[in-house]
Amino acid sequence: MKNKTLKRAYQLAKPHKKTIIIVSILSILVAITEIVRPYLIEIVIDQYLTKGMIQQGFFTITMIGLIYLALVLIGNIVDFIATTTTNMMGEEVIYSLRNRLFRYTQNANITFHDKTSAGKLFVRITNDIEDIAALFKEVIATFLKDILMIIAVIAIMLYISINLSIMALFAIPFILFFSYALTKMLNKIYDKAKAIRTNMNTFLAESIYGAKIIKIFNIQNEKQKELEKYTKMYRDTRAKEGIIQALLPGIMTILENLVIAIIIWACIHHWFGLNLEVGFIYVFTTYINKLFEPITRIVENIETVQEALVSIDKVYDILDEKQYLEDFESGKKLEKIQGKIEFKHVWFSYDNKNWVLQDVNFTIEPGQSAAFVGKTGSGKTTITNLINRFYDIQKGEILIDGINIKEINLRSLRSHIGTILQDPFIFAKSIKDNIRLNRNLDDESVQKAIDLASADEFVKGLPEGMEEISQERGNSYSAGQKQLLAFARVFAHEPDIFILDEATANIDTYTERLIQKSIERISSNKTSIFIAHRLSTIVNVDKIIVLYNGKIIEEGNHNDLIQIDGYYAKLYNSYYESLG
C-alpha cells in the first residue's frame, strides 16, 4: 500500500477524528458486552446447573440472567448509536467530498476539461465517492472494535487454558498468509475493474448524448456490440474478484470449525489433563467463534478497503492537480471597461508544440465592430477563447483597455464579455432561469432581454411562457430557438464586449435580421467581435481581420479588402458564387 494513499485517507478521516474516537469507544463497550456474556453462561452451566444449584451466596441464576439480559440491551443500544453515528459520518464524507470535487470541476480551466472526459468525471463524483464513504460506514468504526476484540479474546483464552489456546491460534498464520496472497491479487483486479468501469461510463455518456447521430447513421447494433465488449470485460473482472472474495470466508470457516473439532477432541480424550465439562467446552468454542468473527469481518472488509483506497487515489489524482485551477480571487476588478482589445505579438499553441496563432497583432478600438474570417483551423475561435482567457498564451500580450488580461480578475474579465456560441447550451430549467443563470435579475429585466433577442413570440407561444421548463440540453426547442435564448441570456447581462462565434448560423433569415437590429442597437457604443462563414453578415463591420494558418494576412473594412483583390476578395467572391 502506497504511503501517498494512506496520507490521502488520513486527510479524509482527519475532520472526523472526534467522531471516529467516540464511535471507537462505543464499539469497545459493545465488544466488552459480547466478551462477558459467554463467561456468564459458563458460570451458570458449570457452577449452578451441573451441581443442581440455583444460588451460590448472594448470586442466583435469575440475577445472572438479568445481568446477561442487561448486557444484551446495553450492547444493542450502544451498537445502534455507533452504527447510526457511523452512517451519518459516511454521509458527511459523501456530502463534503462530492461538493469539493464538483467545485474543482467548476473552477478547473478549459484545458482540464479538454483532457478529462465527462464520463470519467461522472464516475469520480458518483461511484468513487460512494466507495470511499463505505470505508467510513463499514470499516473505520468497527476496525478498532475488531482488533480489541481479537486481543481480548486471545487474552481470555490464554487465561482459561494456555495449551488449548496455542492449539486454537495455530490457524492465525494460515489466515494471514491467505489474506496477504489474495489481497495482492485483489489489488490488481480492483485497478483493472475501475479502469474498465470508467471507460464504460464514458462510452455510455457519449452514446446517450450522441443518440441522434447514432440513429442518423443507423449504428445502434455496432454501439450495442461495443457496450457488450465493455460489460463482458467488466463482468469477467468482477467474477474473478468474486471468486477470490468467496475463498477467504470459506477458508476462515474451514479453519474455525477445524479448530473447534480439535478442541472438542482434546476435551473428550482429556488431553493436557482436561476434563470434559460442558460449560468449559461451550465457553472455549464460543470464544473461538468470537475470535474468528472479527477476523472474518476484517478479511471480508478487504474488498471495501481496497475499492475505497483505489477510489481515494482516483479522486485525489484530480484534486491534487492544482495547475488546472483558475484563480478567481486575485487580479484587478474592473467596474467598467471601454472595450479596447489589443493583441501584441501573440503566439499560442494548445499542446505547446503546434502553433495555432503566430505573432498575431491587431487592435480593436472601444465601440468598434470587428470580424475574423478565414478557413477552418485558421485560429478565429482560438482568438475569442484567448480574449475570455480560457487558455493562457505562450508569448506576447493580450490587453483590455491597456491592461494585460493576466492582471485582471477572471470573474471581472468574463463578466464584461458576452460570448454566444454556434451551439448554445440550455440547462434543464425554466426559460427565465436559463436567461438569469442564478443572477439577481427581476422578471422585467428578463422580459426586456427576451424582447431584444426577438424571442418574445417564441416564448409567448410556450404553455408556461418564461416559466416553461426545458428538456435536457434544450432538446424541446429547435436550434434556432436555443440560439434566441442564448442571445437573450447575453443581452440580459449587458456586457461591454460582444463576441458572436457563428451565432446566427442556425437562425432563419427573418429572425437573423431582427437580431441584427438588436445587436446594432445595444452594441452601438460597445466593442463587438464576429466570426462568420456567411460573409454577407459582416460587410458593415468597422474592421475585418483575415487569418490564414494562424497569421493575419489582411486587415481593413469590406470595401478596402475588396479593392486590394486579395485573399478576402477571393473568399467573398467564392461565397457569392456558391449562392448562385
Side-chain angles (χ1 to χ4, degrees), residues 145-158:
K145 169 193 168 184
D146 290 336
I147 294 297
L148 291 173
M149 176 74 85
I150 292 168
I151 294 171
V153 168
I154 290 174
I156 292 173
M157 288 171 63
L158 289 169

Side-chain angles (χ1 to χ4, degrees), residues 90-350:
E91 293 302 325
E92 182 63 29
V93 170
I94 292 176
Y95 171 81
S96 60
L97 191 56
R98 183 167 287 154
N99 284 331
R100 183 181 169 190
L101 187 55
F102 182 73
R103 189 181 302 112
Y104 181 98
T105 64
Q106 296 300 292
N107 292 338
N109 58 26
I110 298 298
T111 301
F112 169 80
H113 290 283
D114 287 343
K115 68 184 273 295
T116 311
S117 68
K120 180 178 179 179
L121 292 177
F122 291 155
V123 173
R124 300 292 172 265
I125 294 173
T126 54
N127 301 58
D128 284 324
I129 288 178
E130 293 285 350
D131 290 343
I132 294 169
L135 177 66
F136 288 81
K137 288 182 177 181
E138 301 171 18
V139 179
I140 286 181
T142 61
F143 181 74
L144 181 59
K145 169 193 168 184
D146 290 336
I147 294 297
L148 291 173
M149 176 74 85
I150 292 168
I151 294 171
V153 168
I154 290 174
I156 292 173
M157 288 171 63
L158 289 169
Y159 173 76
I160 294 172
S161 173
I162 294 177
N163 292 326
L164 284 182
S165 298
I166 293 172
M167 293 172 61
L169 296 176
F170 90 94
I172 301 298
F174 292 97
I175 294 170
L176 295 176
F177 170 76
F178 285 115
S179 298
Y180 175 77
L182 295 178
T183 299
K184 288 197 70 174
M185 296 171 64
L186 282 172
N187 282 340
K188 296 179 181 178
I189 294 174
Y190 290 140
D191 285 335
K192 184 178 179 181
K194 283 190 178 290
I196 295 171
R197 186 175 69 178
T198 298
N199 291 335
M200 182 169 63
N201 277 277
T202 300
F203 168 81
L204 288 170
E206 289 177 346
S207 299
I208 292 169
Y209 289 139
K212 192 175 291 185
I213 295 296
I214 290 171
K215 290 182 181 297
I216 288 172
F217 288 94
N218 199 28
I219 55 173
Q220 292 94 329
N221 291 336
E222 287 77 4
K223 286 295 179 182
Q224 182 64 39
K225 290 177 182 177
E226 197 171 346
L227 176 62
E228 287 173 2
K229 181 186 73 174
Y230 282 119
T231 52
K232 183 179 183 299
M233 290 169 61
Y234 191 65
R235 180 199 66 190
D236 293 346
T237 305
R238 297 292 291 189
K240 292 177 183 177
E241 174 191 319
I243 291 170
I244 296 174
Q245 277 297 121
L247 277 174
L248 284 171
I251 292 170
M252 296 288 293
T253 302
I254 291 171
L255 290 172
E256 178 184 347
N257 285 281
L258 179 62
V259 169
I260 290 173
I262 292 172
I263 297 302
I264 294 173
W265 184 266
C267 290
I268 290 173
H269 292 277
H270 305 289
W271 290 358
F272 313 115
L274 294 170
N275 293 317
L276 184 61
E277 294 179 353
V278 177
F280 177 84
I281 294 176
Y282 166 80
V283 76
F284 209 87
T285 55
T286 300
Y287 281 134
I288 289 172
N289 179 263
K290 293 291 183 184
L291 174 65
F292 276 81
E293 187 178 299
I295 294 175
T296 302
R297 188 160 47 238
I298 290 172
V299 169
E300 288 176 343
N301 281 335
I302 287 175
E303 177 182 10
T304 303
V305 172
Q306 292 299 330
E307 286 192 344
L309 293 177
V310 171
S311 293
I312 286 172
D313 277 338
K314 298 290 185 185
V315 169
Y316 272 89
D317 282 345
I318 292 176
L319 293 177
D320 287 346
E321 293 289 351
K322 303 300 183 185
Q323 73 267 26
Y324 295 116
L325 290 176
E326 293 183 312
D327 180 7
F328 292 102
E329 303 304 322
S330 63
K332 298 178 182 178
K333 295 182 180 180
L334 307 178
E335 294 297 326
K336 188 73 176 176
I337 66 173
Q338 298 301 312
K340 182 178 181 179
I341 301 172
E342 297 174 86
F343 272 51
K344 293 185 176 180
H345 304 289
V346 170
W347 290 72
F348 174 73
S349 168
Y350 287 103

Side-chain angles (χ1 to χ4, degrees), residues 10-76:
Y10 175 74
Q11 288 176 10
L12 274 176
K14 191 175 180 180
H16 309 281
K17 188 163 55 176
K18 290 182 180 179
T19 303
I20 292 172
I21 292 172
I22 292 170
V23 171
S24 298
I25 293 171
L26 294 176
S27 298
I28 292 169
L29 292 176
V30 174
I32 291 171
T33 64
E34 291 182 5
I35 290 171
V36 172
R37 279 166 15 209
Y39 187 69
L40 292 177
I41 293 177
E42 190 269 339
I43 290 174
V44 170
I45 293 173
D46 287 344
Q47 297 185 26
Y48 287 80
L49 298 181
T50 56
K51 296 178 180 179
M53 299 172 63
I54 61 171
Q55 182 174 353
Q56 287 191 35
F58 178 74
F59 291 99
T60 65
I61 292 179
T62 302
M63 291 177 65
I64 295 173
L66 291 173
I67 294 171
Y68 186 91
L69 180 61
L71 289 173
V72 171
L73 290 173
I74 292 170
N76 279 277

Side-chain angles (χ1 to χ4, degrees), residues 490-509:
V490 169
F491 292 162
H493 296 284
E494 301 180 340
D496 298 301
I497 297 173
F498 283 97
I499 297 177
L500 287 80
D501 189 350
E502 287 293 328
T504 57
N506 295 320
I507 298 177
D508 61 87
T509 305

